[in-house]
Amino acid sequence: VLFLLFVASLGFHAQNFLVGHKQASYIDVLRGNRNVTCELYYPADISGENVAIASGIFPVVVIGHGFVMSAAVYDIYWEALVPEGYVVVLPTTEGSLFPSHDNFGKDMAFLVTQLQSEGVNTSSLFYNAIDATSAVMGHSMGGGAAFLAMQANPNITALAAMAPAETNPSAVDAAANIQHPALIFSGINDCVAPPADHQLPMYNALASGCKSYLGIVGGDHCQFASPNFNCTFGQSTCSPQGTISATTQQAAVLDNLIPWLDHYLKDDCTQGEAFQSNVSNN
């Protein structure tokens, strides 16, 4: 019985951390003192604004938003990841009608470096709490920018993207220089950034020997995020439309994303096997 209880404990991954939140503004001196603003969500023992971070060492996950989409509509990700022991950073730059994809990708890369430097800063809220592992993620424009971020900062551990859209400079071209683990999600019914024109070229171009492409049957472009007028309006002008609910689509993402991140950012082999099982059986 004790052995079975021990084995069962190895499979228990939910940390049940509460969520702390902090708005931050960091200066990238290497890019002309560019001001990079962001929303930070992190594991805490008490939920709230600027509360102390929980005891532990946590990987950093930076998530880039879609075109004219607010960082606020990616709440599904920090709500799922922070309790599992991740620090989630959402840059709030490049939200205009004429965004710079290059700057956005470099903002994401910079935030990984900045948060890791916060981990060794004795005066920082995040002192002694930031792991050396990290991931850049993103949706639509932010997904494409995640490729640019990986190219800009080769010390980032892994890349995950939801319906990534081609960027300028090209995310497809950047993919050819990325040898890190990568996970790409597509909505099969995505008419905004169709997989054949966006996600599949990026995936095929990746130089990584450890990459996965997951197409969600019936999934669309916008349901990778919470409801957003700009995305929904744009999607309403094209076809095909999605045939599954947002809840179903987002569950498909998180059910695969969390074990994948646990494997590559926390060196959890059991979760790596769980991810492979999901892929094989779904």
Side-chain angles (χ1 to χ4, degrees), residues 37-98:
T37 55
C38 62
E39 302 284 344
L40 290 157
Y41 297 91
Y42 54 90
D45 295 323
I46 302 172
S47 60
E49 297 292 318
N50 300 304
V51 297
I53 193 167
S55 177
I57 306 294
F58 309 111
V60 172
V61 177
V62 176
I63 304 176
H65 61 78
F67 175 61
V68 292
M69 295 179 70
S70 165
V73 300
Y74 298 97
D75 52 345
I76 60 172
Y77 298 102
W78 63 257
E79 287 175 352
L81 293 177
V82 173
E84 295 288 337
Y86 291 93
V87 173
V88 177
V89 188
L90 296 110
T92 53
T93 56
E94 300 303 330
S96 74
L97 288 172
F98 302 100

Side-chain angles (χ1 to χ4, degrees), residues 241-261:
Q241 298 291 302
T243 59
I244 60 175
S245 70
T247 300
T248 299
Q249 182 165 334
Q250 292 163 12
V253 174
L254 295 174
D255 287 349
N256 289 282
L257 175 65
I258 292 174
W260 187 85
L261 288 173

Side-chain angles (χ1 to χ4, degrees), residues 84-258:
E84 295 288 337
Y86 291 93
V87 173
V88 177
V89 188
L90 296 110
T92 53
T93 56
E94 300 303 330
S96 74
L97 288 172
F98 302 100
S100 166
H101 301 154
D102 184 51
N103 277 331
F104 197 40
K106 289 175 180 176
D107 288 347
M108 294 169 67
F110 165 73
L111 285 170
V112 171
T113 301
Q114 181 64 39
L115 262 293
Q116 290 177 336
S117 70
E118 294 289 306
V120 295
N121 180 354
T122 56
S123 63
S124 170
L125 174 69
F126 303 104
Y127 179 59
N128 275 345
I130 303 299
D131 206 338
T133 58
S134 60
V136 283
M137 291 173 43
H139 168 231
S140 193
M141 177 186 80
F147 283 78
L148 305 180
M150 289 292 292
Q151 182 174 245
N153 184 352
N155 294 319
I156 298 169
T157 310
L159 160 72
M162 291 75 69
E166 176 62 313
T167 54
N168 181 22
S170 171
V172 175
D173 290 348
N177 300 313
I178 296 171
Q179 300 183 13
H180 297 68
L183 174 61
I184 312 301
F185 291 97
S186 288
I188 298 301
N189 287 26
D190 187 340
C191 64
V192 177
D197 299 327
H198 294 263
Q199 296 93 58
L200 284 170
M202 293 179 202
Y203 173 77
N204 290 330
L206 280 164
S208 174
C210 191
K211 59 183 182 179
S212 297
Y213 172 85
L214 302 182
I216 301 176
V217 177
D220 67 18
H221 189 77
C222 296
Q223 290 185 161
F224 285 106
S226 293
N228 173 264
F229 174 81
N230 290 330
C231 190
T232 301
F233 177 77
Q235 184 170 262
S236 69
T237 65
C238 62
S239 63
Q241 298 291 302
T243 59
I244 60 175
S245 70
T247 300
T248 299
Q249 182 165 334
Q250 292 163 12
V253 174
L254 295 174
D255 287 349
N256 289 282
L257 175 65
I258 292 174

